[in-house]
Amino acid sequence: MLFNSIDFAIYLPIVFIIYWLLNHKNLKAQNTFLVIASYIFYGWWDWRFLSLILFSTLVDFILGQLLAKENSTNKRKLFLWLSVLTNLGLLGFFKYYNFFLDNFTHAFSWLGTPISGRSLNIILPVGISFYTFQTLSYTIDIYRKQLQPTKDFIAFAAFVSFFPQLVAGPIERATNLLPQFNKQRVFNYTKAIDGLRQILWGLFKKVVIADNCAVFVNTIFNNHQDHTGSTLILGAIFFAFQIYGDFSGYSDIAIGTSRLFGFDLKQNFAFPYFSRDIAEFWRRWHISLSTWFRDYLYIPLGGSRGTKIEQIRNVFIIFLVSGFWHGANWTFIIWGALNALYFMPLMITNSNRHHINIVAPNSKLPTLKALSKILLTFSLTTLAWVFFRAENVTHAIQYLSGIFSTSLFSIPQVTPTYLILLILLFITIEWLGRRNQHALETLFFKSKRPFRLTFYYTLIILIFWFSKNEQTFIYFQF
């Protein structure tokens, strides 16, 4: 069920009304309803994959109980590895089986010993990468004795399958979200209204920005050999805004929807395209995944401790694994490696934490120095996105070769004025709201009510106007 679909527009109010009508009942009844609603939401795509969520939920719930009761170090490690291998085994089979098989057979063929393997027609379950990491963090935190396991299976099942963030995050930690299922929720009008504003902005990002960019991105990337370098760079820029609008739009809708039900999810995007270097970008982009890898992979590897060589090794590992998490394609691994290379100068010079706060916190406009850094970071990020978007490595190299050709300085063949104006409007609103959790949190609060309502209705009209270009969310494939 897509957030930007008629199905969800009907589904959400029904779930919302029943959920709050159950508020006078016991907490378990409300949580049980959330589990049922979440399973219906997920089963809308393919009901067969509900068994995977239920299996992961049962495995980690049981292992969490065993980890808490066991004092033997060896047995606790055994239970932890059972969780890790079970979850990553399922993820690996559905997402990477054919990738490893194809590369294995190609390697033997290259060595002169051809072998054959049977590829499987595997359908990737929507959201498996997200809920797998969510349940893994639960057992790891219990193993580390940073979390006490819940004895309430319904609450745990609701935590794993919570429908707003089930399919594409944010990847929530049990330490933040699980306790919220164990306490009574009270409807908060102010929180709900702010949730609606965040949903509105998320829909604008997705429907108006991302889906309109997608039309031109698909045309340019699919026919890159027919376009000039200037058109190709425009296509790459459009993709940068497509993936940001698409993914951060999903996160905004997820977080806003959660607020309607009395839950607070962590911020997943913090205006990353206003970053002044790559390190700042990765502190602001897909925060729930970046911090997951930081806490469960980077720090255990040694983090920023040890020699400079060890630090560089750890950074490369984290970026390569992050790239591989996104999909079974060498393009994602190269994308991760490129970001690691971008990060290296900052790591070597110990300047990777120079920009912690948002740009220009006390002024309306950035300085020329800050603006130049923002544009450089955006340019590097956009070039890396070419590998993320390309069908394969050859496609990416050909696309980049086309960009850096003599036609780079020609007039682009595709110049959709309306889309450029929409992107400029989008950047302006993001800039004005950059100090907050989302762009509309306090924007125009001091303005007169008619002006504020006109602004909101303008966004709504634009969403309905451009809804004919409906596209699925990019991160559903991950």
Side-chain angles (χ1 to χ4, degrees):
M1 193 181 298
L2 296 173
F3 281 161
N4 55 327
S5 67
I6 296 297
D7 294 338
F8 187 73
I10 297 171
Y11 164 88
L12 180 59
I14 294 172
V15 173
F16 175 83
I17 292 169
I18 296 174
Y19 173 82
W20 287 113
L21 285 175
L22 289 171
N23 196 41
H24 67 282
K25 304 288 184 182
N26 61 54
L27 187 61
K28 183 158 287 189
Q30 204 175 33
N31 286 341
T32 302
F33 174 71
L34 274 181
V35 173
I36 294 170
S38 297
Y39 273 56
I40 291 172
F41 175 84
Y42 189 78
W44 211 261
W45 278 286
D46 194 325
W47 63 269
R48 293 172 297 178
F49 292 132
L50 290 173
S51 59
L52 288 177
I53 296 181
L54 180 59
F55 179 72
S56 293
T57 303
L58 285 167
V59 166
D60 287 302
F61 179 78
I62 293 169
L63 290 174
Q65 302 297 314
L66 294 173
L67 276 167
K69 294 175 182 178
E70 186 56 62
N71 293 318
S72 168
T73 301
N74 289 335
K75 287 186 178 180
R76 296 185 84 249
K77 285 182 178 179
L78 173 63
F79 295 145
L80 174 65
W81 278 107
L82 278 174
S83 174
V84 171
L85 293 176
T86 300
N87 284 288
L88 294 186
L90 285 171
L91 180 62
F93 173 76
F94 282 99
K95 195 167 183 177
Y96 302 107
Y97 174 84
N98 286 333
F99 174 80
F100 282 118
L101 178 65
D102 291 343
N103 282 276
F104 191 69
T105 55
H106 288 160
F108 270 84
S109 298
W110 183 76
L111 293 171
T113 310
I115 61 172
S116 61
R118 183 182 177 185
S119 295
L120 299 178
N121 186 23
I122 299 173
I123 300 173
L124 181 66
V126 176
I128 189 171
S129 298
F130 291 89
Y131 68 74
T132 294
F133 272 35
Q134 189 153 307
T135 57
L136 264 179
S137 68
Y138 172 76
T139 49
I140 294 172
D141 284 349
I142 294 172
Y143 174 78
R144 292 176 171 180
K145 298 184 178 180
Q146 296 173 346
L147 176 71
Q148 287 296 317
T150 179
K151 295 181 180 179
D152 186 343
F153 178 74
I154 297 298
F156 183 70
F159 157 73
V160 175
S161 64
F162 189 44
F163 76 89
Q165 49 85 227
L166 171 61
V167 176
I171 302 170
E172 276 293 333
R173 305 291 181 86
T175 50
N176 175 57
L177 183 56
L178 185 55
Q180 296 183 55
F181 287 100
N182 293 321
K183 62 182 181 182
Q184 193 72 35
R185 275 87 63 182
V186 178
F187 181 75
N188 185 308
Y189 177 80
T190 302
K191 180 186 287 189
I193 291 297
D194 185 59
L196 288 174
R197 281 195 296 270
Q198 192 161 5
I199 292 171
L200 176 63
W201 187 236
L203 285 171
F204 178 85
K205 286 181 177 180
K206 167 60 179 169
V207 176
V208 179
I209 300 301
D211 288 357
N212 274 285
C213 284
V215 174
F216 296 95
V217 169
N218 293 340
T219 299
I220 295 171
F221 269 82
N222 293 342
N223 304 280
H224 66 279
Q225 67 279 358
D226 299 328
H227 294 294
T228 61
S230 57
T231 307
L232 295 179
I233 196 68
L234 190 63
I237 291 171
F238 282 161
F239 179 69
F241 282 102
Q242 179 196 352
I243 193 168
Y244 174 57
D246 192 284
F247 193 20
S248 70
Y250 185 98
S251 292
D252 279 334
I253 298 169
I255 294 169
T257 302
S258 299
R259 303 204 84 192
L260 295 178
F261 293 89
F263 292 89
D264 291 312
L265 303 185
K266 296 291 187 180
Q267 185 181 23
N268 207 22
F269 289 85
F271 311 96
Y273 284 160
F274 299 141
S275 300
R276 289 149 290 181
D277 58 44
I278 277 297
E280 184 182 10
F281 174 82
W282 280 105
R283 282 193 294 273
R284 297 183 178 280
W285 179 275
H286 201 177
I287 299 168
S288 63
L289 181 67
S290 300
T291 54
W292 199 101
F293 279 125
R294 180 198 66 195
D295 294 343
Y296 300 114
L297 184 58
Y298 181 68
I299 292 176
L301 284 171
S304 57
R305 302 186 302 275
T307 65
K308 190 63 69 175
I309 296 297
E310 290 172 332
Q311 293 175 29
I312 292 172
R313 177 204 64 189
N314 296 341
V315 167
F316 264 95
I317 289 174
I318 205 77
F319 275 109
L320 291 174
V321 172
S322 177
F324 197 48
W325 176 90
H326 282 85
N329 195 322
W330 284 103
T331 54
F332 296 118
I333 297 174
I334 293 173
W335 169 76
L338 269 176
N339 278 280
L341 289 172
Y342 292 162
F343 197 91
M344 281 305 101
L346 301 172
M347 171 65 73
I348 293 170
T349 58
N350 295 318
S351 56
N352 55 301
R353 298 191 65 81
H354 275 188
H355 303 298
I356 301 298
N357 297 321
I358 193 71
V359 63
N362 301 313
S363 60
K364 293 181 179 179
L365 296 172
T367 63
L368 287 176
K369 182 179 180 181
L371 180 60
S372 64
K373 288 183 176 182
I374 290 171
L375 292 175
L376 175 60
T377 303
F378 178 77
S379 299
L380 292 172
T381 303
T382 298
L383 289 176
W385 282 135
V386 171
F387 280 94
F388 197 97
R389 172 58 180 80
E391 298 297 326
N392 50 56
V393 176
T394 301
H395 183 197
I397 292 173
Q398 290 175 349
Y399 194 98
L400 289 171
S401 298
I403 289 177
F404 297 106
S405 64
T406 55
S407 61
L408 176 61
F409 301 101
S410 62
I411 297 174
Q413 296 159 295
V414 178
T415 53
T417 304
Y418 81 92
L419 180 54
I420 293 171
L421 291 175
L422 286 172
I423 290 174
L424 290 174
L425 172 65
F426 171 64
I427 293 171
T428 301
I429 295 173
E430 287 266 296
W431 177 262
L432 293 174
R434 70 191 182 282
R435 300 176 183 87
N436 302 310
Q437 292 290 304
H438 63 91
L440 302 189
E441 186 174 6
T442 59
L443 190 63
F444 302 135
F445 262 35
K446 295 181 180 179
S447 304
K448 292 183 179 180
R449 190 168 182 268
F451 176 83
R452 194 165 62 249
L453 290 177
T454 300
F455 171 69
Y456 292 149
Y457 281 118
T458 300
L459 295 183
I460 293 170
I461 290 169
L462 286 171
I463 290 167
F464 277 101
W465 182 266
F466 289 107
S467 60
K468 60 182 179 294
N469 292 329
E470 182 180 304
Q471 308 268 341
T472 189
F473 286 88
I474 293 174
Y475 267 67
F476 282 13
Q477 64 184 299
F478 306 137

